[in-house]
C-alpha cells in the first residue's frame, strides 16, 4: 500500500470546515505523564492571545491538490479557536529550550527598515544579536517572499507543489541526535502579520506516543516518522502563532513539524531568515 493510501485510510479526507470534535484541550490528555507539549515563549506581559489552536490535522482534499498541494499533504483542520486556560498553563513558558520550544522576539526600532534596505545580509546580524544569541556558523538565507492568502507556504522546489506541515532536514541528523540540530530565526519584514504553524509535540517525543497507539499496524516501508505520527494522531492540533511586522520567531524546525501561513494577507508575505544555533535572550 502506498504512503498516500495508508495516510488516507487512517486520516480520512475532511472538508476544511467545522466537524464534531472532543472538548477543547482534550489533546493534552494524550500526552503521557512527564511529557510536556512544545512550549511557546511570547513577549513580556502577553497572555497567549497571539496563539490559536486548530481542531486537529487532516489530509489535503482533492480540490486542494488540484490547486497545488501534493498528495498526502497534511494541513491544520479548521476551525481555529483561542487557547484554553489549561492550554496556556501547559504551553506558555519563559525559558525556552532552543532545541524544543518556540520563541517570539521583537527587534529594536529601526531594525525593520535596515533589514529591508540592506545590501549585504550579514549587515543586519547586529540587530538580531540584540534579541538573540547567535552561536556557531550562521547560514544567512536572507529575504524571501510568498503569495498572500496561503494556508501553508512551503513549496517543494523539485515538484513545485505545496507540502503542508513538514520537518526540515538541513542538517539531516538521525533521530537520536536531532536535538543537536541548528534552528532558525525568521523575521517578518512584510507589512502585515503572518503566522508560524507548529504541531506541539517534539519529533523526539513522537516515538513514545506511537508505541502506545500503533500496535500491530504496519506502515509502508520508509514512512517518515512525523508523517506516521500525524496519521495516527489526527486529533493533535496545530498551534498558530501570529508574528507581526518587525517581530520574529525562533524555532527548532529540524525537530518541529511546522510551516508558515500567509492567510489574511493582501500583499506579499515577506521574511528574512538565518539558520544557526540561536537562543532568544532572557526577557
Amino acid at each position: 500500500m502506498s504512503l498516500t493510501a495508508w495516510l488516507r485510510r487512517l486520516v480520512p479526507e475532511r472538508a476544511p470546515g467545522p466537524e464534531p470534535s472532543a472538548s477543547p484541550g482534550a489533546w493534552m490528555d494524550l500526552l503521557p505523564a512527564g511529557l510536556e507539549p512544545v512550549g511557546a515563549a511570547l513577549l513580556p506581559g502577553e497572555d497567549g492571545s497571539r496563539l490559536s489552536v486548530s481542531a486537529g490535522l487532516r489530509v489535503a482534499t482533492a480540490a486542494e491538490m488540484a490547486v497545488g498541494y501534493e498528495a498526502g499533504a497534511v494541513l491544520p483542520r479548521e476551525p481555529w479557536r483561542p487557547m484554553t486556560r489549561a492550554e496556556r498553563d501547559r504551553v506558555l513558558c519563559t525559558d525556552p529550550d532552543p532545541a524544543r520550544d518556540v520563541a517570539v522576539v521583537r527587534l529594536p526600532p529601526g531594525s525593520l527598515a535596515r533589514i529591508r534596505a540592506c545590501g549585504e545580509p550579514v549587515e543586519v546580524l547586529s540587530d538580531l544579536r540584540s534579541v538573540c544569541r547567535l552561536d556557531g556558523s550562521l547560514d544567512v538565507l536572507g529575504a524571501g517572499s510568498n503569495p498572500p492568502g496561503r494556508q501553508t507556504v512551503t513549496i517543494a522546489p523539485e515538484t513545485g507543489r505545496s507540502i503542508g506541515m513538514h520537518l526540515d532536514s538541513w542538517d539531516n541528523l538521525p533521530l537520536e541526535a536531532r536535538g543537536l540540530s541548528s534552528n532558525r530565526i525568521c523575521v517578518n519584514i512584510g507589512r502585515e502579520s503572518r503566522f508560524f504553524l507548529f504541531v506541539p509535540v517534539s519529533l523526539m517525543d513522537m516515538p513514545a506516543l506511537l508505541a502506545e497507539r500503533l500496535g500491530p499496524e504496519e506502515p509502508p516501508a520508509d514512512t517518515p516518522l512525523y508523517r506516521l505520527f500525524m496519521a495516527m494522531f489526527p486529533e493533535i492540533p496545530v498551534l498558530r502563532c501570529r508574528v507581526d511586522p518587525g517581530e520574529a520567531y525562533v524555532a527548532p524546525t529540524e525537530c518541529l513539524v511546522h510551516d508558515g501561513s500567509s492567510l489574511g494577507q493582501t500583499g506579499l508575505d515577506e521574511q528574512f531568515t538565518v539558520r544557526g544555533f540561536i537562543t532568544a535572550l532572557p526577557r
Side-chain angles (χ1 to χ4, degrees):
M1 180 184 296
S2 70
L3 172 59
T4 299
W6 191 80
L7 284 168
R8 288 194 177 282
R9 181 162 58 86
L10 291 174
V11 192
E13 180 180 296
R14 298 178 172 94
E19 67 174 47
S21 61
S23 60
W27 62 273
M28 294 187 297
D29 296 335
L30 299 173
L31 306 182
L35 194 159
E36 288 299 315
V38 169
L42 307 181
L43 298 177
E46 291 193 341
D47 61 359
S49 58
R50 74 165 63 229
L51 293 170
S52 52
V53 186
S54 80
L57 296 157
R58 64 178 181 86
V59 171
T61 64
E64 288 164 330
M65 288 190 289
V67 295
Y69 274 95
E70 69 178 22
V74 178
L75 304 172
R77 174 154 49 90
E78 295 179 331
W80 295 93
R81 61 169 176 81
M83 297 180 74
T84 66
R85 180 181 297 274
E87 287 168 329
R88 292 197 301 269
D89 290 345
R90 292 283 295 275
V91 170
L92 298 185
C93 65
T94 56
D95 185 21
D97 179 345
R100 176 185 175 85
D101 301 324
V102 175
V104 176
V105 295
R106 179 178 292 142
L107 274 64
S111 298
L112 191 54
R114 283 191 291 273
I115 294 174
R116 287 173 177 162
C118 71
E120 292 293 332
V122 72
E123 294 174 359
V124 306
L125 293 182
S126 60
D127 287 299
L128 302 187
R129 287 192 171 98
S130 68
V131 292
C132 295
R133 190 174 74 242
L134 307 179
D135 295 324
S137 177
L138 299 175
D139 183 6
V140 182
L141 302 181
S145 63
N146 305 297
R150 297 187 62 86
Q151 54 189 328
T152 63
V153 298
T154 302
I155 294 175
E158 62 274 13
T159 65
R161 300 188 73 82
S162 300
I163 61 176
M165 302 299 294
H166 67 280
L167 191 74
D168 286 349
S169 290
W170 293 86
D171 296 343
N172 204 29
L173 295 179
L175 177 63
E176 60 272 17
R178 276 275 170 160
L180 302 176
S181 299
S182 56
N183 60 351
R184 71 167 55 198
I185 181 169
C186 185
V187 185
N188 181 356
I189 62 171
R191 290 164 173 77
E192 300 172 273
S193 297
R194 68 191 309 264
F195 296 101
F196 179 63
L197 313 177
F198 63 98
V199 174
V201 177
S202 169
L203 179 71
M204 287 81 78
D205 291 332
M206 289 180 182
L209 279 76
L210 282 168
E212 293 186 1
R213 181 165 291 193
L214 189 57
E217 185 74 42
E218 287 292 334
D222 301 322
T223 304
L225 175 65
Y226 75 94
R227 278 282 181 96
L228 175 58
F229 179 84
M230 291 192 292
M232 297 301 295
F233 288 90
E235 64 270 53
I236 294 287
V238 174
L239 301 191
R240 182 173 69 175
C241 181
R242 192 188 75 248
V243 183
D244 295 330
E247 297 178 346
Y249 70 79
V250 180
T253 55
E254 309 252 332
C255 304
L256 200 60
V257 179
H258 70 282
D259 207 334
S261 174
S262 61
L263 279 181
Q265 294 189 0
T266 58
L268 278 181
D269 169 40
E270 299 175 283
Q271 69 287 150
F272 182 95
T273 304
V274 176
R275 291 180 55 250
F277 294 90
I278 302 166
T279 305
L281 294 177
R283 312 308 166 100

